[in-house]
Amino acid sequence: AQSVSQHNHHVILSEAASLELGCNYSYGGTVNLFWYVQYPGQHLQLLLKYFSGDPLVKGIKGFEAEFIKSKFSFNLRKPSVQWSDTAEYFCAVRDDKIIFGKGTRLHILP
Amino acid sequence: DTGVSQNPRHKITKRGQNVTFRCDPISEHNRLYWYRQTLGQGPEFLTYFQNEAQLEKSRLLSDRFSAERPKGSFSTLEIQRTEQGDSAMYLCASSRDRIYGYTFGSGTRLTVV
């Protein structure tokens, strides 16, 4: 069965710092990979997705993620975070349904 | 596209009571999913439908839980004889097909007292 592991449960950064959130998945087949974000009090929103092609995927709000097949990883990055990026971030993998990781709570200090 | 709508937004119920939640997906989406999310956890898959057919149920979905999507449009999730451990956010999502990403609703927060 597929699974997703997010290494960082809680990350605190200052504004303008660079961000990288780790995500590893276990699934042997063709994967679809996602990052979702949940801002305080709001519903889950799709940040970006990887289906095939260029392993460097660009999403909304300046986020990007790199699919590295040999490492089973799909890390999320942003070169310079803003206070408004404070949220919970979920990595997810899909075969027939989406399986989510436990999430990383990101807190940006103003 | 009015998004995925879930009702009610909040439900407080006494232990042992039955509750029912409703989800209205995006109209052209034929897949509908139910998830449960507790504090500090990611959404956990419960079940999904393709049109009116329920194609998969998680082991998390005990006999007290039942979901329906009678006409392939809206869906209901019923919990019978609620327990305190059922307290969670229940999320509904829909997608056009299996290869597309999901659109999530705002969820129904259940509190069992």
Side-chain angles (χ1 to χ4, degrees), chain A residues 55-69:
Chain A
L56 186 62
V57 180
K58 294 194 183 300
I60 61 171
K61 304 187 181 188
F63 286 91
E64 65 179 30
E66 186 175 12
F67 170 55
I68 303 180
K69 188 175 181 179

Side-chain angles (χ1 to χ4, degrees), chain B residues 18-84:
Chain B
N18 300 343
V19 294
T20 300
F21 311 140
R22 178 178 169 126
C23 172
D24 287 88
I26 293 171
S27 57
E28 63 265 28
H29 287 186
N30 61 2
R31 286 203 165 199
L32 187 149
Y33 304 82
W34 285 99
Y35 286 79
R36 181 173 68 186
Q37 186 176 19
T38 53
L39 201 61
Q41 300 292 319
E44 297 172 297
F45 170 76
L46 293 178
T47 188
Y48 86 91
F49 294 83
Q50 179 161 306
N51 300 313
E52 65 275 10
Q54 187 173 21
L55 296 188
E56 187 174 346
K57 291 171 59 174
S58 163
R59 287 173 295 174
L60 291 174
L61 217 64
S62 75
D63 291 344
R64 297 184 297 105
F65 288 71
S66 62
E68 294 183 341
R69 195 183 183 197
K71 297 182 180 178
S73 57
F74 73 92
S75 175
T76 58
L77 177 68
E78 182 183 16
I79 309 174
Q80 295 182 325
R81 305 181 303 282
T82 52
E83 302 172 356
Q84 286 189 319

Side-chain angles (χ1 to χ4, degrees), chain A residues 15-31:
Chain A
E15 273 195 311
S18 65
L19 169 72
E20 181 161 3
L21 301 182
C23 172
N24 286 91
Y25 66 92
S26 75
Y27 181 62
T30 302
V31 291

